Amino acid sequence: MSKLRTKKWFSPYWTTNAFIMMMVGGLPLWFWRGGYTGLTSAKFTYAAILTGLWVVTTAVTAMGTKTGFAMSADKWIIAMLLFCAGVSSVLSPYPDHVWIGSGRYNGFFSLAIYTVIYIGVSSYGRLRRAYVSVFAAALFICCVVSLLQLMGKNPFGLYPGGWNYYDKGIQYSSEFLGNVGNVDLFGALLCLGIPLTIGTAMYEKGKSMWVLTGMATLCLFIAVVMNVKATLLGTAAGVAGLLAAGFSGKAPGVRKKTAILLMIVVLTVLLAKVISFSEQGISVGKRHVQETAVTETSEKSELGNILQGQWNDEIGSGRIGIWKTLLKTVPQHLWIGTGPGTVADRAGIVYERYVPETGRTLKARVDNAHNEFLEYLVCEGVVGLLLYLILIVITCIRNGRSGSAEKKVLLTAMGSYWIQSFFGLGLILILPIVFVFWGLLNQSEKT
C-alpha cells in the first residue's frame, strides 16, 4: 500500500470523518422494533456502539500513524465536567440510577459518550459542508415522515398498537412526530439544523444552494406546524441572526441569496399558518386542530406563561412547577449534585390524568428537569453547571471573532440550540449530534 493510500485510509482523521457521517446522518433516522416505545433504547444502543467502534479504530490508527492530540482549555473543561459527574455518581444517594439513568438513558455513561465525542471530534475532525448536507437530509426525511403522520398515517409503524398522531393524550401521553419522537426533542434538533442549513445555503452556489434551501424549507414548515414555542424562539433567533449577517455581508452574491432566503422563510411560515392537518388529510384556510384530550405540550404553554410574567405555583403548571420543585432541592446537594439521571429521585413528581374517551388514567413520571442548565445544576451541582457554562463561553469567545463564515454559521446554529435548551430535555436521542457539531466548532487548529 502506498504512503498516500495509507495516510488516507489508515488515520484517525479518516475514522473520525466516517464516524461523523454515520452519527449525524444515522442517529436521527434510527429506530427499532416497537417504534416509539423502544426509541430511546434503540438510539442509545446505536450511539454507544458507533462511538465505541470509532474510539477503538481511532486509537489503533492514531498509534499506528503516531498521531496524537493536544488537550486545549475546552477539552480540559469537558473532561473536568465528566470527572465531576463521576464523583457525584460515586457519592450519589441513588447509586442504582446514576450510571444508566432512571429510564431515559441520561446517566453517567451517556455523559461519557458526549465527552468522548467532543474531545475526539475536536481533535481529529474538520468542519465539512458534507456533514451539513447529510444532517439536513436526515432531518428532511424525518420531516417527510412527520407530514405523513400529520395526515393520520403511521409510516414504519412508529406508533404502536395501530395508533396515530391524533391519539395523543388519549392512548398515550406527550406528542410524537418523525423518527426522533418527542416533539420537544425533534424541535431541538430542528433548532440546530434549520439555521445551520440555511446559513450554509447562503454561501453555496448552483444546485447545492437550492437543494439545501429545499430541505431547510420543509424543516421550517414542520417546526412551525409543531408550534413548540422554544423551538420557534431558538429557530427565529438563529435565522434572524444569519439573515442580518447576510444583508451586511460583503461576499459576492450573498446579499441577493439572503433576500431570496428571506422571502422563502416568510412564505414558508405563512403557508404553515394557513394549512390544517387532520386524519382526513390537508386543508387550506382557517387553521383547525383536530380535538384530542391534549392539544399542546407543556413547553408550548410554559414559554408563553413566562413571557407574560405568569409563574403558576401549582405543580400542574408543567415546566414551571418542575423547576420550582427541583430548585428547592438544590441546596441539599449544592456543589456536586446527586449524579446524572437522578432528577426523578429529586423531584418525586408523577402526573395523572383521567381520559374519559378510554376510561384509562395516563401517568407520567417526571425524570427530566426540562431545562438543560437546571439539569446540570441538580445532577452535577454548582460545579458542573459552571463548567458547562464556561465551555459555552469559551466556544463563543473563540469563534465569535473567527473570519470563517462556516464557523460563524455553526456558532449561530449552536446558539439557537442553547436558547431552546432552556426548555429542553437534552437526551441521548439528540445530544451525540449536538456534541459532534460542538466539537467541530472548536476543532484543533492543526487538524
Side-chain angles (χ1 to χ4, degrees):
M1 185 178 291
S2 67
K3 292 183 179 179
L4 179 61
R5 188 173 178 81
T6 301
K7 184 178 181 181
K8 180 179 180 181
W9 294 97
F10 193 79
S11 80
Y13 301 106
W14 186 90
T15 59
T16 300
N17 176 67
F19 166 76
I20 293 172
M21 286 287 197
M22 288 187 282
M23 184 62 81
V24 302
L27 186 63
L29 301 176
W30 185 257
F31 66 94
W32 197 240
R33 288 174 294 184
Y36 290 140
T37 57
L39 194 62
T40 305
S41 174
K43 291 189 184 290
F44 172 79
T45 303
Y46 181 93
I49 292 176
L50 181 60
T51 304
L53 290 173
W54 166 60
V55 169
V56 171
T57 55
T58 300
V60 170
T61 55
M63 289 187 291
T65 57
K66 297 182 180 179
T67 307
F69 67 88
M71 286 291 289
S72 53
D74 55 302
K75 294 173 188 174
W76 281 114
I77 291 296
I78 196 168
M80 289 168 62
L81 176 55
L82 181 64
F83 178 77
C84 175
V87 173
S88 64
S89 296
V90 171
L91 301 178
S92 175
Y94 314 107
D96 294 337
H97 297 159
V98 292
W99 304 110
I100 298 296
S102 52
R104 295 263 199 161
Y105 293 92
N106 56 345
F108 177 83
F109 290 140
S110 293
L111 188 57
I113 289 174
Y114 312 147
T115 303
V116 169
I117 288 174
Y118 179 89
I119 293 176
V121 169
S122 62
S123 299
Y124 298 118
R126 177 180 296 147
L127 183 56
R128 303 177 188 273
R129 294 190 181 183
Y131 301 150
V132 178
S133 299
V134 171
F135 181 43
L139 290 181
F140 179 82
I141 294 172
C142 288
C143 288
V144 171
V145 171
S146 300
L147 273 178
L148 295 173
Q149 292 172 325
L150 288 167
M151 292 187 284
K153 310 299 181 183
N154 188 15
F156 306 121
L158 289 169
Y159 296 104
W163 299 335
N164 63 26
Y165 172 75
Y166 297 99
D167 288 313
K168 60 179 179 177
I170 299 175
Q171 299 291 355
Y172 57 87
S173 300
S174 196
E175 186 176 348
F176 300 89
L177 278 175
N179 301 57
V180 180
N182 183 290
V183 292
D184 296 338
L185 289 167
F186 188 21
L189 215 51
L190 291 175
C191 249
L192 176 65
I194 293 172
L196 183 57
T197 307
I198 290 177
T200 303
M202 288 170 58
Y203 297 95
E204 286 289 307
K205 298 178 181 179
K207 293 182 180 180
S208 180
M209 172 195 168
W210 292 110
V211 169
L212 288 172
T213 301
M215 291 191 290
T217 298
L218 180 59
C219 291
L220 179 60
F221 177 84
I222 292 297
V224 176
V225 169
M226 286 197 310
N227 197 34
V228 178
K229 295 296 191 296
T231 299
L232 297 179
L233 178 63
T235 303
V239 172
L242 289 170
L243 293 176
F247 280 120
S248 61
K250 298 179 181 180
V254 170
R255 291 186 182 181
K256 181 179 178 180
K257 293 176 186 176
T258 303
I260 294 172
L261 289 170
L262 175 59
M263 289 189 291
I264 292 174
V265 167
V266 172
L267 290 174
T268 300
V269 172
L270 292 176
L271 184 63
K273 289 295 184 181
V274 299
I275 286 184
S276 303
F277 290 92
S278 69
E279 286 185 275
Q280 289 69 44
I282 303 174
S283 60
V284 179
K286 185 177 179 180
R287 189 163 180 80
H288 169 72
V289 178
Q290 181 166 322
E291 292 187 1
T292 61
V294 176
T295 59
E296 288 189 340
T297 63
S298 59
E299 182 180 286
K300 295 177 182 179
S301 56
E302 293 308 329
L303 179 55
N305 290 342
I306 290 174
L307 294 177
Q308 296 172 32
Q310 300 172 5
W311 289 76
N312 193 332
D313 287 332
E314 297 180 3
I315 292 298
S317 65
R319 276 168 169 74
I320 295 174
I322 294 171
W323 296 346
K324 287 194 170 186
T325 300
L326 288 174
L327 284 171
K328 290 178 182 177
T329 71
V330 168
Q332 301 168 14
H333 302 274
L334 182 62
W335 297 109
I336 58 172
T338 52
T342 57
V343 166
D345 302 286
R346 302 287 294 276
I349 301 173
V350 177
Y351 290 115
E352 295 186 3
R353 183 172 54 79
Y354 177 73
V355 183
E357 291 90 341
T358 63
R360 298 167 54 222
T361 298
L362 296 179
K363 296 182 180 181
R365 184 185 185 211
V366 175
D367 53 10
N368 189 283
H370 296 267
N371 180 316
E372 291 189 42
F373 302 98
L374 180 57
E375 183 95 7
Y376 277 105
L377 178 61
V378 171
C379 295
E380 285 80 44
V382 172
V383 175
L385 176 60
L386 284 176
L387 289 170
Y388 184 71
L389 292 174
I390 290 171
L391 184 59
I392 292 176
V393 171
I394 289 175
T395 302
C396 294
I397 293 175
R398 179 180 294 178
N399 296 281
R401 299 176 182 178
S402 171
S404 166
E406 290 85 355
K407 285 290 190 75
K408 289 183 177 179
V409 167
L410 181 51
L411 179 60
T412 302
M414 287 297 302
S416 298
Y417 176 84
W418 290 327
I419 289 172
Q420 72 76 39
S421 71
F422 189 81
F423 302 87
L425 302 179
L427 296 173
I428 191 69
L429 294 89
I430 62 171
L431 283 182
I433 296 173
V434 173
F435 278 91
V436 162
F437 282 110
W438 201 341
L440 288 170
L441 187 56
N442 287 329
Q443 67 187 35
S444 300
E445 295 298 326
K446 294 181 180 180
T447 301

